[in-house]
Amino acid sequence: MELLDFARGPALQFALAVFVLGFLWRIVSLFLMPRTKDRSAARPGTRPALFAATREIIRRTAPDKAFGKHSLFALVNGYVFHVGLFIVIIGFAPHIVFFRDLLGVAWPSLPNNVIYAAGVITIASMMVALVRRFLNPVQRLISTLDDYFSWLVTFLPVLTGLLANSHLWVRYETLLAIHILSVELFLIWLPFGKLMHLALVFVTRSQIGTHLAHRGAQI
Amino acid sequence: MTREINVQAAANRFLAQISGNLGAYMEACLHCGHCADACHFYAVTDDPRYTPAYKLFPMARTYKRSKPPLSWFGGAPKVTEKDLQEWEELLFDSCTMCGRCTMVCPMGIDIASIVAASRQAFVAAGLGPPDLLQAAENARDKGSPLGVSADVLADRVEWLADDNEVDIPLDKEKADVLLTVSSIELMKYPDSLVAMAKLLNHAGIDWTLSSKGYEATNFGFLSGRSDIAKIMIQRIVDAAESVGAKTVVIPECGHAYGVLRWAGANILGKPLPFEVVHITEFLADLKRRGKLKLKPMGDAVTYHDPCQISRRGGATQAARDLLDGFATDFREMTPTGNHNWCCGGGGGVQAMSRAAGLRHKVFKLKMDQVEQTGADTMLSACANCRLTMDESKEHWHWDKDLGSLVEVLAEHIDESNAAA
Ligand code: SF4
Ligand code: SF4
C-alpha cells in the first residue's frame, strides 16, 4: 500500500502544485510581454475582436479546405486520439470520483465498455501518430525532443490505466499507483512543453482571427 | 564567396522583435506538419525542408532559449552560424510570405509574419540574397528598386502621355487622390500606368503622381531592411501630404498594398493620414457608383489572386466585383480567392535570381489550374505576379496568355456614355 499512498498523497500534491504554478507562469509570462498594437485602419465593417476571436476558435476546429491530401489521415488520427483521451479522462467513473474530491463537481459516467474501447482506440491512434512522426519525412524533420517526451507522458497514463483495469500481472494497487504516478508526470510536464497547446490554442487562434478580421480577410 | 556572419547581431535582432503575439505563435507549434502540403514550395518539391513550420526554427529557438525555464539552465540549443547559413535559403528564396500555410494550421500560426521578422535578423547578421538587398538600396538611393529616379519618372510619364494621348498628371499642386506606381510597371509594363490614367480620367477623378513619393513597392520590407521600409513609406506620406490627398491608390502590386495598407502605420508608429486602397478596390467602388462604364468582354478569362491583396489583404471581392457583368466568360480556378496558389514570386522572391528555378517549378501549379478552367487568358492585379508568371511562362513555353485586369478594363472603357 505504501507506493499507492505516496502516489495519492505527497506526489499528487506536488504534481498539482507544479501544474497550477507552471500553468499560471506560462500564461502570465506570455501576457506580460508587450503586445504589438495594430495601428493600421481597420477595414470598414470589421466585426468586434471578441467576435472574430470566437469565430476563429470555432472555425479552426474543422479542417480548412486548403488541407492537403497527404495529411488528411494524420488529421483524422489527431481527432481520434484527442476525442479518445477526452472520453477516457472525463467519462470513467473512478476519474469522476477523483474530480469530485478535487473540485467538488461530478457528472454522470460512461459505461466501462465504452471507456475500454475508447482507451484501446486511443492507444492505437497514438501509436500511429508516433510511427508517423518517425516515418513521415516532414514530421521527422521538424520533431523535437519535446514532441517525443510529450507523447510519452500522454501515452503512459492511458496504457497504465488500461493495464490497471485489466487486472493482469501485477497487483491492482501497484498498477494503480503507477498509473497515478504517470498522470502526475503528465501534469508536471504539461506547462513546460507542447502539451500547453491545450491553452495556447485559444490564444493563437484568437490572435490570427482578430488579425485577419481587422483586414477583412476572412480565411 | 564567404561572408562574415554576425550570429550575435542576428540573435539581438530576433529578440528585439519578440512581442507577446509572435511569442505565442512560436510557443504554439505542434510540429504536426500539416502546413507542408499548403506551401507551394513543398507541394512541388516534396522537400521537407520547405515545411513552413521549419522556417520558424531559428527565431523560435532564439526565443525559447531566452525564456525561462530554459534560460535558467542555458539548456536550449543556440542558433549557430551553420544554422543561419542553412536557413537563409528557406527564409528568403523559399517563402513568398503568401500566408497559405496559416490557413491549414490548427493553431493559426502566422508564419509569414515570423518569416518577415526573421529576415531582419538574417540581414543584421550579414546574410540575405544580394540582388534583393541591392533592390532595397536602389529604392533608397535612386527612388525605386529598378532605378526609376524622379527624372526617369518624368521622362517616362511624358513619353507615355504623348504616345497614348492621355493626360498623366505629375506633381499637380493639389489633388484628392495620389496615385503610386510600381517600377516593374514603369519599366516592363508601362501600359499599366496608361491604363490607370485612362480609367481615372474617365471617371473624372482629381488625381496626380508625385515625384516626392511615387514608388509603391517596398523592397525595404521584403528584404528585412526596416530602415529602408520606413523611408519608402515616409516618402509616400510626404507626397500625399504635400498634394493634400485623402486617398493613396496602390497600383497592381500585391506587396505594395500589403505593406502600405496593413504594415505602414505600424512601421511609422502612427496612423497614416490618408486612406490606402488598391487600384482594384478603387475601381470597384467607381463601378458600384456608376462612374465606370465598360463594354462587356467575351474572352474566356480566369483571375489569379495576388496573395497580399486577397488572402492577406482582404480585398478578394474587389476583382470579382469588377469582373462581374464585364467579363462574360469568367472562370474561377480551383482553388481560388483566399485559397489560391501563389505565383511563386511574392515576398521579394521575384528579385532573387538564384530562386528562378524553384519559381518555375511552382508555376506548374498555376499552369495546371488555368488549364483546368479552359480559359485562354489569366488576368492578375499584380505586376510582380505578372512578371514572375511571364518569366515562368517563357521557361515552360506555355501557350496561354497573361494579362492585367486594369489594362483589360481600360481597353473596354465605354466612352459613348462617359460619367458626368
Ligand atoms: S507563407 Fe507561403 S511560401 Fe511561406 S511558408 Fe507559408 S505557404 Fe510557404
Ligand atoms: S500546421 Fe501549424 S502547428 Fe502544425 S507544424 Fe505547421 S505551423 Fe506548426
Side-chain angles (χ1 to χ4, degrees):
Chain A
M1 282 301 264
E2 247 175 40
L3 188 62
L4 188 56
D5 287 340
F6 170 74
R8 280 179 163 158
L12 180 62
Q13 280 168 355
F14 175 75
L16 284 172
V18 172
F19 169 72
V20 171
L21 292 175
F23 196 94
L24 287 176
W25 162 77
R26 184 96 182 251
I27 292 295
V28 170
S29 68
L30 189 61
F31 280 93
L32 279 182
M33 274 194 277
R35 307 208 127 231
T36 44
K37 185 171 157 254
D38 197 341
R39 292 186 169 87
S40 63
R43 186 173 289 282
T46 298
R47 311 270 197 124
L50 190 65
F51 175 88
T54 314
R55 178 185 174 277
E56 195 72 10
I57 288 169
I58 298 167
R59 199 189 68 81
R60 262 180 213 269
T61 305
D64 187 90
K65 64 178 177 195
F67 227 90
K69 286 184 286 299
H70 291 97
S71 42
L72 200 64
F73 174 76
L75 179 86
V76 172
N77 191 48
Y79 282 107
V80 170
F81 73 75
H82 277 87
V83 172
L85 283 169
F86 186 75
I87 293 175
V88 173
I89 293 170
I90 72 152
F92 189 41
H95 293 169
I96 297 170
V97 173
F98 170 83
F99 286 119
R100 192 196 58 208
D101 293 347
L102 187 72
L103 306 169
V105 280
W107 49 85
S109 63
L110 288 169
N112 280 357
N113 294 343
V114 174
I115 300 295
Y116 288 142
V120 171
I121 292 172
T122 304
I123 292 267
S125 168
M126 285 192 72
M127 305 265 274
V128 169
L130 183 69
V131 169
R132 185 176 195 270
R133 208 172 262 293
F134 276 126
L135 295 185
N136 177 278
V138 165
Q139 270 203 298
R140 190 175 53 221
L141 179 71
I142 61 178
S143 294
T144 59
L145 209 57
D146 180 12
D147 297 311
Y148 294 106
F149 191 66
S150 294
W151 180 92
L152 183 70
V153 301
T154 312
F155 185 77
L156 287 178
V158 190
L159 182 71
T160 55
L162 271 181
L163 288 179
N165 285 286
S166 58
H167 305 278
L168 295 171
W169 304 343
V170 204
R171 281 193 324 150
Y172 172 72
E173 280 77 11
T174 313
L175 271 175
L176 181 61
I178 292 172
H179 174 62
I180 295 173
L181 287 169
S182 73
V183 172
E184 288 159 359
L185 182 64
F186 172 83
L187 286 175
I188 289 170
W189 177 243
L190 192 146
F192 301 103
K194 74 180 281 195
L195 294 174
M196 196 60 189
H197 74 271
L198 89 96
L200 289 174
V201 67
F202 298 103
V203 179
T204 50
R205 284 186 186 179
S206 300
Q207 281 180 197
I208 196 72
T210 47
H211 179 69
L212 292 172
H214 176 84
R215 300 178 168 201
Q218 295 295 358
I219 61 171
Chain B
M1 188 180 70
T2 51
R3 282 183 285 174
E4 190 89 6
I5 300 176
N6 187 341
V7 182
Q8 191 55 45
N12 295 346
R13 193 78 200 122
F14 274 131
L15 295 177
Q17 295 178 89
I18 302 277
S19 61
N21 317 44
L22 289 191
Y25 287 139
M26 279 178 293
E27 292 190 26
C29 182
L30 306 168
H31 298 151
C32 65
H34 291 329
C35 46
D37 281 339
C39 178
H40 42 276
F41 291 111
Y42 176 77
V44 299
T45 60
D46 272 335
D47 182 345
R49 289 171 66 252
Y50 294 143
T51 302
Y54 197 53
K55 296 168 188 168
L56 307 178
F57 273 45
M59 188 159 190
R61 263 187 207 162
T62 314
Y63 165 69
K64 287 185 182 160
R65 205 184 137 79
S66 76
K67 209 188 164 208
L70 288 182
S71 64
W72 296 335
F73 314 117
K78 213 178 183 162
V79 171
T80 62
E81 192 173 321
K82 203 169 145 278
D83 291 340
L84 292 177
Q85 265 165 337
E86 186 190 335
W87 262 276
E88 187 200 52
E89 190 225 337
L90 303 179
L91 289 166
F92 286 91
D93 308 35
S94 54
C95 181
T96 54
M97 305 196 218
C98 73
R100 200 166 191 271
C101 45
T102 297
M103 302 174 72
V104 301
C105 174
M107 302 297 280
I109 298 175
D110 187 1
I111 290 158
S113 293
I114 296 173
V115 167
S118 302
R119 283 186 179 186
Q120 293 196 23
F122 276 65
V123 170
L127 290 160
D131 35 9
L132 179 67
L133 289 162
Q134 188 59 50
E137 285 176 10
N138 285 350
R140 181 193 57 201
D141 301 337
K142 301 186 183 135
S144 118
L146 296 180
V148 180
S149 63
D151 291 342
V152 175
L153 173 73
D155 279 355
R156 289 191 83 80
V157 164
E158 200 189 321
W159 161 64
L160 289 169
D162 283 353
D163 247 29
N164 297 281
E165 294 173 9
V166 59
D167 190 21
I168 307 181
L170 171 65
D171 289 330
K172 231 163 76 174
E173 209 161 305
K174 289 284 165 218
D176 296 339
V177 172
L178 175 74
L179 178 69
T180 56
V181 282
S182 118
S183 48
I184 298 179
E185 297 175 295
L186 275 180
M187 302 313 283
K188 311 230 156 115
Y189 306 112
D191 287 347
S192 172
L193 176 56
V194 175
M196 289 193 289
K198 283 184 181 164
L199 289 159
L200 296 178
N201 293 345
H202 163 77
I205 303 297
D206 173 26
W207 67 282
T208 187
L209 290 167
S210 165
S211 51
K212 282 206 179 95
Y214 51 90
E215 178 60 54
T217 64
N218 194 324
F219 277 79
F221 183 86
L222 301 178
S223 65
R225 288 290 303 267
S226 52
D227 53 333
I228 299 180
K230 197 167 177 175
I231 292 172
M232 299 307 289
I233 292 166
Q234 190 61 50
R235 284 182 190 160
I236 294 178
V237 171
D238 292 345
E241 282 181 337
S242 83
V243 300
K246 295 277 170 303
T247 304
V248 170
V249 174
I250 299 290
E252 289 195 322
C253 177
H255 277 282
Y257 178 69
V259 176
L260 194 65
R261 177 68 179 89
W262 301 116
N266 298 322
I267 292 171
L268 284 189
K270 56 175 193 245
L272 298 176
F274 44 73
E275 180 196 17
V276 180
V277 289
H278 187 250
I279 183 76
T280 55
E281 291 178 285
F282 194 77
L283 295 176
D285 182 55
L286 290 177
K287 187 173 176 228
R288 214 170 295 129
R289 292 193 283 125
K291 297 209 162 195
L292 191 60
K293 300 280 191 257
L294 299 165
K295 292 179 276 198
M297 175 189 69
D299 305 356
V301 295
T302 185
Y303 177 74
H304 162 75
D305 285 88
C307 310
Q308 304 302 319
I309 294 168
S310 294
R311 175 163 47 245
R312 290 185 72 79
T316 318
Q317 196 49 41
R320 270 84 195 167
D321 289 349
L322 286 168
L323 289 163
D324 186 36
F326 160 66
T328 51
D329 189 5
F330 169 55
R331 303 160 184 214
E332 288 278 16
M333 283 183 262
T334 318
T336 187
N338 298 335
H339 288 81
N340 204 13
W341 288 106
C342 173
C343 66
V349 173
Q350 160 58 224
M352 304 170 202
S353 49
R354 66 187 193 197
L358 196 53
R359 255 189 272 135
H360 297 325
K361 278 191 198 155
V362 168
F363 189 65
K364 283 209 142 178
L365 288 169
K366 192 92 317 182
M367 284 160 45
D368 288 347
Q369 277 193 291
V370 175
E371 271 157 28
Q372 276 167 22
T373 66
D376 307 313
T377 305
M378 170 167 52
L379 299 176
S380 182
C382 173
N384 186 73
C385 294
R386 191 176 168 193
L387 181 59
T388 303
M389 300 194 294
D390 264 338
E391 285 178 8
S392 295
K393 169 185 147 86
E394 195 171 319
H395 175 85
W396 296 111
H397 308 291
W398 195 45
D399 62 355
K400 304 285 181 219
D401 287 327
L402 301 174
S404 134
L405 175 58
V406 170
E407 283 175 31
V408 169
L409 291 169
E411 283 159 19
H412 291 81
I413 295 175
D414 186 356
E415 291 293 2
S416 64
N417 195 8

